[in-house]
Amino acid sequence: MAYAELHCLSNFTFLRGASRPEELVGRAKELGYAALSITDECSLAGAVRAHVAAREHGLPLILGSEFTLADGLRVVGLATSRTGYGALCRLITRGRRAAPKGAYALTRADLEASLEDCLLLWLPGLQPRHEEGAWLRERFAGRLWLAVELSAGGTDHEHLAGLMALSARLGLPAVASGDVHMHLRGRRALQDTLTAIRHGVPLKDAGLVLAPNGERHLRAITTLGRIYPRELLEETLAVAARCRFSLDELRYEYPEEIVPSGSTPAGHLRRLTEEGIRRRWPEGEPDAVRELVEHELGLIAELGYERYFLTVHDLVDFARGRGILCQGRGSAANSAVCYALGITEVDPSRMSLLFERFISRERNEPPDIDVDFEHERREEVIQYLYAKYGRHRAALTATVITYRPRSAVRDVGKALGLDPLQVDRLARSLQWWDGRELDPSRVRDAGFDPGSPLMRRLLRLVEDLLGFPRHLSQHTGGFVISRGPLEELVPIENAAMPERTVIQWDKDDLDELGLLKVDVLGLGMLTAIRRALALVSARRGAPFGVEDVPPEDPEVYDMICRADTVGVFQIESRAQMAMLPRLRPRHFYDLVIEVAIVRPGPIQGQMVHPFLRRRAGQEPVVYPGAGVRRVLERTLGVPIFQEQVMQLAIVAAGFTPGEADRLRRAMAAWRRKGSLGPFEQRLVEGMRERGYDEGFARQVFQQILGFGEYGFPESHAASFALLVYVSAWLKCHEPAAFCCALLNSQPMGFYAPAQLVRDVRGHGVEVRPVDADRSDWESTLEDDGTGQAVRLGLALVHGLSREGARRLVDARAGRRFESVQALASRAALDRDDLAALSASGALAGLAGHRHRAAWRVTGVEKPLPLMPEPQIAEGLPLLRAPQEGEDIVADYRALGLTLGRHPLALLRGRLAALGWLTASDLWDQPDGTPVCCGGIVVTRQRPGSASGVTFVTVEDETGSINLIVWQSLGDRQRRVLLGARLLGVRGRVQREGDVLHVVARDLEDRSALLGALQARSRDFR
Amino acid sequence: MSSLTPDLFDPTPVPAGQPARLSLVPEASCLPARQGRGELWLCLWLPQLPLDALATGEDAPDAPACVIEGEGSAQRVIAANGAAVRHGIRAGLGLNAALALCPGVRLHMRQPAAEAALLERLARWTTQFTPVVSLEPPRALLAEVRGSLGLFGGAAGLRRRALESLHRRGLYAFAALAPTPRAALWLARAGLDTPVQAPGELPGLAARLPLSCLGWPQATLARFATLGIRNVADLTRLPRDGFARRFGPSLLAELDEAFGRRPQPRRRAVMPERFDDSLELPVETGSIPLVEIALERLLGRLEAFLRTRSAGILGLAVALLHRGQPATRLRLGLARPGGEAGHLQALLHERLGRTLLPAPVVALRLRSTVAVPLELRSGVLPGTAGYDADPEAAARLLEHLRARLGREAVFSVRLAQEHRPERAWQVSEPALGKTGAGPFAEAVAVPVGPARPLWMIAEPQALRERDGLPRHGGRSLTLLSGPERIETGWWDGQDVCRDYYVAAAADGVRLWIYRERRRSGGWWLHGVFG
């Protein structure tokens, strides 16, 4: 006997389906089903995952969708062909677009006008209505079946007899289907839980909305044989046989208009590339470059990727025309062709080794280029895309929002009837840096017994629920562009934002199908660099661009080696700063490695120390085998980049390129899907067979797991390294412009304006306070002959509206303000804006100290029509002048920074009495000295890669101190670690070259000394 | 506003641009004796009241606990016990922060009704010091105590006595004495315990009153902070016109009230009342009818008491007092607030009829529950919408039945929305709808589904089995329909996994039986169709 399941929901029918598409496919294969149909309710969001799994398992997959119309009529539509699939997508789009996010609305009229080339199953329910069947038969005869679904309801015999009679009376063929909601009966509890969550009631009150039993799973064929008449089971095969559509038919539907009429794609790409080569190498390109270009163009032509490169070029060309700084990255971006086309600035002559790996003929994967744009101007690029391709052909991809520990605990806890405050507490106790596995000890911390039956149930369900999709959200910048109407390629639905739509697939899905997608991302550092370059250009009186930054400047590398990198792209984090003096980058490629090495992959694979030792010449550069020498040579025999790991799998473990590619995808998804089991065995055995040491093999595997978290390919690192270099050059040679640009591009990076300002002043740049008579909205450079000074902008003033600031600057033009009342009247500022200005100290020139300014400001009267500047005669009360400490507090509160003394300078006497050393004192201490010190907490970071270490940066009036807090101490003194604003520490000095850390042994909270000082830490970014 | 409003106590205008010397509060000597100088107010400030108001019996006193107010991300701590404070938790902290400080802290949602009730109880208790007690919700009480000072050994003695008594009850409080209620409140909130007897002493304390004791909105306090104003003394140095222009007249009025320049009328707390009266019988008697005659008089007084207050009661207790014997007690609960003497008499008649007197009765005592206001009901004409059979009738019938049979013997049965048959129905309190509809009128959607027997057996009976078929009464059963598979209930630990069948016994009776699908297995009888 054989059977094909035609009606099966996955967990992409949110809160109904209780199994992943992959699980359903795997189980159907195991049970020997002839085919499986995934028919999520008005959705194809799980289709690609099912498709991939079906391809792996060699199981025929049918795509369809279940619909409940407004009048209650229920059908399943199954696609038989590309046309049928397009019709299905259109109907889903129609239903989804007609309803708010998450819902759909369809009527019989919608159904009537659609679903050509689709088969239909009528789901008649427990009380079939003859009229429904007749209506459907009239419209869909010949491709319509009556679905018979029996799930041990007590009257199955009678129900079956009734349906068979109905089928005879209507002349409709009947077919068996399973109304499947899960792959195994064991998911019954999870399915009930999802139902309770969907209805927003606890399980004990859910009552009859729950299924009475767990029959709606993929049942064994012999079981089905006992339930259904043979002919109904055979009919499933007949239906399945007519559904011949596969998602593979969708590959490469690239837009056409990117090529001017009269040209071929190849010809056009060749022309643009040659133009670019002449621009890049006016004196003629090196032979090696020419050779590379020809090789790449040949490969592009062979694989038919011309339109992809042309589309990205078009986008970049648009941005450049508008003066928007952008840069491509991704596997295809670091090609000579992309450099010629201006997609990247990474000069192949600085990067001799990347190109051979750019697109692989064997891997048959689509090219991948992400383009970063200035974050504040990305919207212009998005609007350009919509304008060029139309909204019916360009759309944002979805991001599947999945259950995380917090949300899962919250929802499961509610369903199990826990008190909302309890659930809340349990959910909150899972601070997000605790990792992704739910830890019973956390449950105990929150005051629950993990061994109680209730908690065991909860933990078990939460574990099952983790990673389940909850809803679709819009991706930040992943665009899909299609040749024909997009709604025939993939369903489109409403996003939460009005007027925004998303497709039902995410980036991975598109990647899997080889559809054209371009990531239009926003990058704050590009904004800052563009601003800094503009300031430099203005001062030099001549345009100064990225290409004008001199390469390989030793002064820049000196600065980097000192870890003097506050504000520099990527290498400003604590972990990066700790690495810099050890790695001592001297060349561009060192920066590429620096960017990639402080990542979970190399760290978990324990590759960092071997690399450093080899680089320092303390350990010979050896290769585990001759075969891998070529792969690992540029990184001294130590695999650091994602691409190297892939190549190792091929060269050392005998993977085919296709298998290696599957491994890469599995790596990205292993957390989500669970296991890399078969790959691990295959990799380790493959390497052993080829004579590699098992330890090395295990190490490579560990690294693969790490890459799964944050895969970092060499191609990305190279693009990032360029921005590292440019920003470092600006910091080194144009510190005022760079700081000013960073301040105007906030929020970004690891440091708040306070640290940026402190850092730039430490480098001898004068910073001037916010002043209502002098400041613009943005921070500016003031040049009064003696040098450049940064004038802080009104944007830093907390609570000042942008509109108000604009009016202030406009009203000031040419005429300074004579009084606070004049300022308020001329700029038409409201009380909030005025209060913000006075609190920031920006009125000091007009009104004196802050307290006086506040009195003036609170007394400002609204101008009357006839008296534009009301004069109020009023006595000025005796108001105390603020003390220095009060001013500092007010500065922090209103601006987030002070130009006055550091708060700790005021407290130094008391801190010295406690035995605290200053940050600069620490430099006099030899390695290993026990010390006592402390400061205001600036950042707390717990990198995912650092196995529970928290890096804390504190600062005092002489500089900052980098603390290392090991996990055990952090757990013991959690409250102090997380809560202290003024943190004291006893520990030991650890020095390595130019870097100094204090390894904490004991922490103390001295926040009380700060009084009202509100210093904010940037935690865990 | 271009003219200058002169200060109340100094008519000299101040030239613009010069620092003003005018102040909000004049020197003590020039305070007008406008208000009764004699008043002295005691303020009891109970910062922990939200905690005290909770029934936290299960909390160990040394376990950290706090009370939370608000929703979602706006959830804040409003009160914390000593143990929680030692962990760094204090009022005003966000819930996340509190949990970060002490993951195991017990959390309670604020119970405004319980707080109000506790405050009222405390007000009643405070009447031991003075009849003039006033509520200052949510956490303070004010009492005018000048007249009582003599009784309690002066201001300090009274204060000490009040605090000691509260502390004995486990209540954490501050107490302050001042000539005006508002000043007393401020002093209490500031934790200043020096009794202030005369208005002239107040300005001298102003520098010790932080702005936070004023209870003014946070935004206003923030504005004062920007002016460098830290305490009430700083505040009083501001010019009146400028102050009023910036902060409005009502805050100025509060200052005036505090310093006694403006009276502050306080509303007396209204005490809840209950009826409590007794009647001595002219002769000792063992005769119930004679007792009932006496009772009738008491009930008549009760009715009059309630009528003047437009109030009703939810229950009463009658004590029949005997000589040298414990009293015989009867309690009566009403389904809705009432107090009509005839009705109560009839209900008590049912009870008395079944009461055995251990000894002759010498006196009666009748006490009621707290009187609650009655909603007035307007008449509805027969035949118009809203008219129903006597809405009171169902309630009265129920009271009669319960009076006679006992409370537990009268209940409703309702269908429950459950797949597990043994839980598909449940006992419930007879519900009297607002319209007075009967207890069975509640609409329950009866689900479409397989048949259910009318008679369910409380504990399923094991059935013998032969050749895989169940037997009953010595004969094999014939399976008529099924299986109906029921697998559910895992969430409360009572998961069932059964296949139900309708089966016919030899005598034609249809039975509802099931086969246990778990390892224990077996056939079970669970119900009989009628």
Side-chain angles (χ1 to χ4, degrees):
Chain A
M1 210 175 344
Y3 177 70
E5 180 55 62
L6 301 175
H7 181 203
C8 170
L9 304 181
S10 78
N11 60 0
F12 279 86
T13 302
F14 306 134
L15 301 181
R16 278 181 68 201
S19 294
R20 299 169 164 83
E22 299 86 351
E23 291 169 330
L24 291 162
V25 168
R27 180 68 180 158
K29 178 72 186 175
E30 225 171 86
L31 292 173
Y33 281 23
L36 175 71
S37 181
I38 295 289
T39 56
D40 281 311
E41 185 174 2
C42 199
S43 175
L44 285 168
V48 178
R49 290 167 204 230
H51 171 72
V52 172
R55 195 174 51 200
E56 269 168 29
H57 286 96
L59 178 79
L61 177 75
I62 301 165
L63 290 183
S65 184
E66 177 197 288
F67 302 96
T68 301
L69 304 188
D71 65 354
L73 174 63
R74 296 181 70 221
V75 293
V76 168
L78 303 173
T80 61
S81 64
R82 175 69 180 89
T83 314
Y85 172 79
L88 198 62
C89 289
R90 251 196 338 264
L91 181 64
I92 294 173
T93 301
R94 188 181 181 88
R96 290 279 174 189
R97 296 280 279 128
K101 174 180 152 80
Y104 68 98
L106 288 171
T107 64
R108 287 196 189 189
D110 296 323
L111 189 65
E112 198 167 18
S114 68
L115 289 187
E116 62 270 21
D117 262 18
C118 286
L119 307 184
L120 274 82
L121 308 184
W122 172 36
L123 306 173
L126 279 177
Q127 288 169 310
R129 283 160 55 202
H130 185 270
E131 172 273 329
E132 288 185 351
W135 185 87
L136 283 168
R137 185 192 52 188
E138 212 161 279
R139 284 149 187 90
F140 300 103
R143 51 192 180 106
L144 174 69
W145 280 262
L146 171 69
V148 178
E149 306 194 321
L150 302 174
S151 48
T155 53
D156 282 1
H157 293 295
E158 297 82 340
H159 189 53
L160 174 64
L163 290 179
M164 294 312 285
L166 185 64
S167 144
R169 209 156 69 237
L170 285 167
L172 267 187
V175 66
S177 64
D179 192 17
V180 172
H181 282 60
M182 50 206 162
H183 73 300
L184 292 173
R185 188 190 296 278
R187 282 281 164 89
R188 172 164 66 92
L190 183 64
Q191 211 277 323
D192 284 341
T193 307
L194 294 173
T195 305
I197 295 171
R198 187 169 87 248
H199 288 274
V201 290
L203 279 152
K204 66 175 173 49
D205 300 333
L208 302 182
V209 304
L210 300 178
N213 59 41
E215 285 300 288
R216 295 177 305 170
H217 63 282
L218 291 172
R219 291 176 282 191
I221 294 182
T222 49
T223 309
L224 293 170
R226 283 197 296 273
I227 297 170
Y228 291 100
R230 192 180 184 91
E231 62 274 18
L232 290 190
L233 296 179
E234 277 166 1
E235 192 67 19
T236 62
L237 303 181
V239 174
R242 284 175 64 176
C243 300
R244 300 183 168 281
F245 171 73
S246 156
L247 284 179
D248 284 332
E249 293 174 40
L250 300 184
R251 288 182 89 84
Y252 308 128
E253 301 202 354
Y254 291 173
E256 307 259 353
E257 66 266 59
I258 205 73
V259 182
S261 59
S263 307
T264 61
H268 190 50
L269 183 63
R270 162 70 72 178
R271 195 170 61 73
L272 293 173
T273 308
E274 295 297 343
E275 278 173 18
I277 290 173
R278 280 194 295 280
R279 197 176 60 248
R280 294 283 193 196
W281 290 280
E283 271 99 67
E285 74 278 9
D287 288 347
V289 169
R290 169 53 60 187
E291 204 174 301
L292 208 52
V293 166
E294 293 306 327
H295 171 70
E296 289 172 13
L297 285 177
L299 200 54
I300 291 168
E302 188 182 327
L303 299 173
Y305 293 149
E306 293 94 344
R307 285 198 181 85
Y308 181 82
F309 283 85
L310 289 170
T311 307
V312 176
H313 168 259
D314 177 65
L315 203 58
V316 168
D317 206 39
F318 162 78
R320 190 146 299 137
R322 287 282 190 97
I324 303 172
L325 204 56
C326 62
Q327 181 175 244
R329 60 190 159 95
S331 67
N334 299 107
S335 57
V337 169
C338 279
Y339 183 67
L341 292 176
I343 294 171
T344 70
E345 295 295 328
V346 180
D347 181 344
S349 44
R350 284 163 81 176
M351 295 281 310
S352 58
L353 283 152
L354 282 175
F355 306 108
E356 66 192 74
R357 298 179 300 279
F358 110 81
I359 311 176
S360 115
R361 186 180 281 110
E362 301 83 8
R363 272 213 305 268
N364 196 22
E365 66 170 1
D368 169 25
I369 302 179
D370 299 345
V371 190
D372 293 317
F373 296 88
E374 291 174 40
H375 70 317
E376 288 172 2
R377 301 188 64 187
R378 191 175 67 106
E379 191 58 29
E380 294 174 43
V381 180
I382 291 178
Q383 291 310 324
Y384 170 74
L385 275 177
Y386 278 137
K388 182 167 177 108
Y389 300 102
R391 286 193 174 258
H392 64 295
R393 288 176 52 210
L396 277 173
T397 58
T399 299
V400 181
I401 305 297
T402 56
Y403 269 105
R404 317 301 308 260
R406 252 190 199 206
S407 47
V409 165
R410 219 164 246 160
D411 280 4
V412 172
K414 262 188 244 162
L416 287 175
L418 290 177
D419 164 35
L421 267 179
Q422 278 180 299
V423 176
D424 224 44
R425 178 222 302 272
L426 192 58
R428 279 164 202 267
S429 73
L430 307 164
Q431 310 257 26
W432 62 264
W433 58 83
D434 281 345
R436 299 184 188 180
E437 308 285 326
L438 198 57
D439 175 0
S441 70
R442 285 258 157 257
V443 177
R444 204 170 293 115
D445 276 0
F448 298 91
D449 171 14
S452 73
L454 181 65
M455 277 303 130
R456 281 215 309 273
R457 246 172 246 138
L458 180 120
L459 294 182
R460 164 88 203 279
L461 286 166
V462 165
E463 221 153 89
D464 280 349
L465 188 58
L466 284 182
F468 262 45
R470 296 176 85 188
H471 60 93
L472 298 182
S473 172
Q474 73 184 48
H475 185 264
T476 43
F479 259 88
V480 59
I481 302 167
S482 63
R483 177 182 299 166
L486 196 59
E487 62 167 15
E488 293 184 359
L489 190 67
V490 54
I492 302 169
E493 60 178 66
N494 290 333
M497 265 162 87
E499 295 306 307
R500 286 274 177 150
T501 52
V502 295
I503 63 166
Q504 287 190 333
W505 290 342
D506 71 4
K507 283 181 50 166
D508 293 345
D509 293 339
L510 295 172
D511 202 25
E512 199 61 67
L513 297 180
L515 294 175
L516 179 87
K517 68 168 171 55
V518 186
D519 271 358
V520 180
L521 301 171
L523 190 61
M525 183 48 76
L526 284 172
T527 311
I529 289 177
R530 202 253 308 144
R531 284 198 163 110
L533 291 173
L535 290 169
V536 173
S537 304
R539 189 171 59 80
R540 297 191 175 187
F544 186 81
V546 173
E547 60 281 0
D548 302 316
V549 171
E552 305 295 60
D553 180 339
E555 271 184 70
V556 172
Y557 288 107
D558 288 346
M559 180 188 84
I560 291 174
C561 290
R562 285 195 306 272
D564 179 7
T565 52
V566 168
V568 177
F569 187 57
Q570 286 282 316
I571 56 170
E572 61 169 351
S573 79
R574 276 290 307 281
Q576 291 278 2
M577 278 195 187
M579 185 64 70
L580 290 171
R582 295 202 265 168
L583 193 78
R584 305 199 66 78
R586 297 308 312 178
H587 298 286
F588 181 72
Y589 196 75
D590 297 339
L591 293 179
V592 178
I593 290 176
E594 170 74 34
V595 165
I597 201 168
V598 187
R599 304 276 164 182
I603 292 171
Q604 279 177 26
Q606 300 182 353
M607 303 296 180
V608 177
H609 290 287
F611 178 82
L612 291 175
R613 281 197 300 272
R614 290 180 182 200
R615 191 175 155 85
Q618 296 160 354
E619 177 182 304
V621 178
V622 291
Y623 298 93
V628 300
R629 186 187 177 109
R630 194 176 52 86
V631 179
L632 298 179
E633 206 160 19
R634 64 188 181 282
T635 51
L636 308 179
V638 178
I640 285 171
F641 301 112
Q642 197 183 36
E643 290 93 334
Q644 290 177 307
V645 178
M646 310 311 314
Q647 281 188 313
L648 277 182
I650 297 171
V651 174
F655 278 45
T656 66
E659 282 174 315
D661 190 42
R662 277 210 293 285
L663 173 62
R664 182 179 65 84
R665 290 177 200 285
M667 270 158 56
W670 78 273
R671 282 282 190 193
R672 199 175 65 219
K673 292 179 185 166
S675 129
L676 277 179
F679 286 112
E680 176 173 12
Q681 206 181 352
R682 178 106 171 60
L683 189 88
V684 174
E685 270 169 22
M687 288 177 75
R688 211 169 32 210
E689 277 166 24
R690 283 162 186 77
Y692 293 97
D693 172 43
E694 175 158 352
F696 178 69
R698 296 264 165 223
Q699 216 173 352
V700 170
F701 183 73
Q702 277 308 310
Q703 200 169 6
I704 288 176
L705 294 186
F707 277 130
E709 288 290 276
Y710 306 94
F712 216 79
E714 186 173 14
S715 48
H716 284 258
S719 291
F720 274 179
L722 189 70
L723 300 184
V724 171
Y725 181 78
V726 171
S727 56
W729 187 90
L730 286 166
K731 180 182 168 72
C732 185
H733 294 288
E734 298 283 350
F738 186 59
C739 176
C740 193
L742 286 175
L743 288 176
N744 292 336
S745 310
Q746 291 292 313
M748 60 174 291
F750 278 87
Y751 299 97
Q755 284 79 48
L756 297 173
V757 165
R758 191 175 307 284
D759 182 70
V760 77
R761 292 173 92 196
H763 287 79
V765 174
E766 185 190 346
V767 180
R768 296 172 182 163
V770 183
D771 185 334
D773 265 331
R774 293 192 175 81
S775 290
D776 284 346
W777 171 252
E778 299 201 325
S779 299
T780 47
L781 291 184
E782 290 181 352
D783 204 339
D784 41 20
T786 53
Q788 287 202 311
V790 176
R791 168 70 70 182
L792 297 180
L794 296 167
L796 287 167
V797 177
H798 297 331
L800 178 63
S801 71
R802 183 154 201 173
E803 242 337 273
R806 188 191 56 73
R807 287 196 304 272
L808 184 151
V809 173
D810 288 353
R812 189 177 63 201
R815 190 157 63 106
R816 292 177 65 163
F817 300 113
E818 50 279 7
S819 70
V820 171
Q821 180 68 53
L823 163 82
S825 309
R826 273 163 55 188
L829 293 184
D830 63 20
R831 280 187 188 277
D832 289 344
D833 283 342
L834 286 168
L837 282 173
S838 78
S840 72
L843 301 182
L846 286 171
H849 65 65
R850 271 198 175 87
H851 296 164
R852 285 190 175 171
W855 182 258
R856 287 283 187 221
V857 157
T858 51
V860 161
E861 289 293 320
K862 265 220 160 65
L864 297 167
L866 294 177
M867 281 183 52
E869 288 181 26
Q871 301 291 320
I872 296 164
E874 185 185 59
L876 186 64
L878 281 169
L879 294 166
R880 277 186 313 107
Q883 294 168 357
E884 183 182 6
E886 285 178 292
D887 262 334
I888 290 174
V889 170
D891 279 343
Y892 270 104
R893 192 172 289 149
L895 296 165
L897 62 92
T898 183
L899 299 177
R901 282 206 288 165
H902 192 277
L904 290 202
L906 276 60
L907 296 172
R908 183 49 65 191
R910 299 169 70 175
L911 299 177
L914 290 171
W916 286 20
L917 300 179
T918 64
S920 63
D921 293 340
L922 290 176
W923 288 98
D924 303 332
Q925 309 299 317
D927 191 41
T929 318
V931 290
C932 187
C933 60
I936 291 178
V937 177
V938 177
T939 59
R940 299 180 178 93
Q941 294 167 15
R942 183 177 294 193
S945 54
S947 60
V949 177
T950 306
F951 291 116
V952 183
T953 304
V954 299
E955 62 170 33
D956 65 15
E957 70 275 28
T958 66
S960 49
I961 306 173
N962 295 327
L963 308 178
I964 292 175
V965 181
W966 294 106
Q967 183 163 23
S968 57
L969 177 63
D971 286 349
R972 203 165 64 239
Q973 295 196 289
R974 184 183 169 89
R975 184 187 142 197
V976 179
L977 177 62
L978 297 184
R981 290 185 288 125
L982 178 54
L983 182 68
V985 61
R986 280 187 298 141
R988 263 171 212 286
V989 171
Q990 189 185 74
R991 294 184 66 163
E992 191 155 356
D994 287 344
V995 165
L996 185 149
H997 288 100
V998 174
V999 181
R1001 226 180 45 230
D1002 187 43
L1003 305 173
E1004 59 181 343
D1005 184 353
R1006 289 282 174 185
S1007 307
L1009 288 176
L1010 290 175
L1013 182 60
Q1014 299 283 336
R1016 259 184 231 116
S1017 152
R1018 289 199 154 185
D1019 284 354
F1020 303 104
R1021 295 181 44 147
Chain B
M1 287 297 276
S2 56
S3 77
L4 195 71
T5 325
D7 184 278
L8 253 181
F9 310 106
D10 186 351
T12 331
V14 179
Q18 274 190 19
R21 294 253 158 67
L22 305 183
S23 61
L24 282 178
V25 174
E27 296 302 305
S29 56
C30 56
L31 264 176
R34 198 173 287 179
Q35 202 179 351
R37 241 179 198 291
E39 284 188 8
L40 185 65
W41 288 83
L42 167 73
C43 175
L44 295 174
W45 162 244
L46 297 123
Q48 302 273 45
L49 188 101
L51 258 172
D52 298 331
L54 298 171
T56 54
E58 78 273 31
D59 283 9
D62 51 351
C66 60
V67 179
I68 305 294
E69 182 181 51
E71 302 232 319
S73 59
Q75 287 184 318
R76 312 222 145 259
V77 173
I78 55 161
N81 71 0
V85 170
R86 278 193 292 282
H87 278 88
I89 297 177
R90 58 190 196 304
L93 213 58
L95 178 52
N96 266 343
L99 286 174
L101 290 173
C102 176
V105 64
R106 268 182 177 282
L107 303 175
H108 302 281
M109 275 322 279
R110 183 174 197 178
Q111 310 270 347
E115 288 174 28
L118 176 59
L119 197 61
E120 288 213 9
R121 279 210 305 286
L122 287 170
R124 237 174 287 139
W125 170 85
T126 309
T127 53
Q128 65 183 291
F129 301 111
T130 168
V132 186
V133 178
S134 169
L135 304 181
E136 182 67 31
R139 299 191 216 184
L141 285 174
L142 286 161
E144 203 289 307
V145 294
R146 175 69 80 195
S148 320
L149 292 185
L151 298 171
F152 296 96
L158 181 102
R159 185 179 165 279
R160 191 176 58 243
R161 180 134 166 197
L163 281 182
E164 277 173 3
S165 178
L166 284 172
H167 289 171
R168 265 202 306 281
R169 285 152 198 264
L171 293 169
Y172 178 62
F174 291 99
L177 285 149
T180 66
R182 191 166 302 284
L185 180 63
W186 290 359
L187 289 168
R189 286 211 196 109
L192 284 186
D193 50 9
T194 344
V196 181
Q197 299 250 22
E201 300 169 27
L202 278 173
L205 283 172
R208 291 169 63 195
L209 292 175
L211 295 187
S212 59
C213 78
L214 301 175
W216 290 352
Q218 214 52 49
T220 307
L221 297 184
R223 286 173 72 194
F224 285 123
T226 64
L227 298 172
I229 288 167
R230 292 173 181 161
N231 54 44
V232 174
D234 291 344
L235 205 56
T236 55
R237 278 192 283 272
L238 297 175
R240 287 181 74 82
D241 63 333
F243 183 94
R245 211 157 65 71
R246 285 169 175 82
F247 304 105
S250 67
L251 297 187
L252 191 57
E254 287 198 15
L255 279 164
D256 286 346
E257 285 167 7
F259 289 96
R261 287 199 306 264
R262 182 191 165 110
Q264 184 194 4
R266 302 273 338 166
R267 204 180 132 162
R268 263 209 221 188
V270 181
M271 298 294 159
E273 293 175 286
R274 61 171 86 219
F275 180 82
D276 186 354
D277 203 351
S278 39
L279 189 69
E280 240 169 89
L281 298 187
V283 289
E284 295 185 18
T285 178
S287 148
I288 292 289
L290 284 180
V291 170
E292 282 193 74
I293 289 170
L295 185 61
E296 194 178 341
R297 284 183 59 195
L298 272 179
L299 289 171
R301 290 185 203 167
L302 169 66
E303 192 181 76
F305 169 88
L306 291 175
R307 197 178 299 124
T308 57
R309 289 163 176 78
S310 293
I313 53 169
L314 274 164
L316 53 78
V318 179
L320 309 178
L321 307 177
H322 313 290
R323 196 173 300 285
Q325 291 259 11
T328 304
R329 296 182 191 281
L330 300 177
R331 284 179 194 281
L332 190 67
L334 300 181
R336 50 175 83 223
E340 196 237 325
H343 176 52
L344 296 173
Q345 180 93 30
L347 292 175
L348 287 168
H349 175 75
E350 299 278 354
R351 286 291 190 81
L352 284 168
R354 288 180 292 128
T355 304
L356 283 179
L357 294 176
V361 178
V362 293
L364 296 182
R365 185 175 178 198
L366 177 63
R367 277 181 301 166
S368 76
T369 55
V370 173
V372 294
L374 274 188
E375 285 167 41
L376 291 180
R377 191 185 297 276
S378 55
V380 179
L381 287 176
T384 55
Y387 177 80
D388 210 333
D390 179 2
E392 304 296 327
R396 235 174 265 151
L397 170 68
L398 191 64
E399 282 159 17
H400 276 287
L401 285 172
R402 284 194 152 174
R404 184 171 297 183
L405 301 171
R407 195 169 179 82
E408 299 72 27
V410 186
F411 56 86
S412 289
V413 174
R414 63 165 75 198
L415 289 178
Q417 303 265 308
E418 248 281 356
H419 286 296
R420 285 172 289 183
E422 55 269 54
R423 288 171 186 251
W425 59 277
Q426 65 194 32
V427 169
S428 71
E429 180 71 2
L432 293 177
K434 280 221 168 87
T435 56
F440 305 106
E442 191 186 345
V444 174
V446 178
V448 188
R452 289 284 183 271
L454 192 55
W455 298 105
M456 291 282 295
I457 296 170
E459 283 288 313
Q461 284 174 15
L463 295 175
R464 286 167 185 279
E465 181 181 335
R466 185 184 293 171
D467 307 329
L469 274 183
R471 294 165 69 81
H472 185 248
R475 305 256 184 93
S476 282
L477 293 171
T478 319
L479 301 185
L480 296 178
S481 75
E484 178 187 356
R485 181 160 295 177
I486 296 182
E487 287 177 301
T488 190
W490 52 271
W491 54 87
D492 54 16
Q494 308 287 317
D495 200 18
V496 303
C497 283
R498 303 166 183 165
D499 280 348
Y500 277 89
Y501 295 84
V502 179
D507 55 4
V509 174
R510 287 190 309 142
L511 303 176
W512 206 42
I513 64 172
Y514 70 82
R515 195 164 60 80
E516 174 62 53
R517 295 185 62 236
R518 293 186 196 285
R519 204 171 298 147
S520 54
W523 287 92
W524 302 79
L525 175 63
H526 205 176
V528 180
F529 289 89

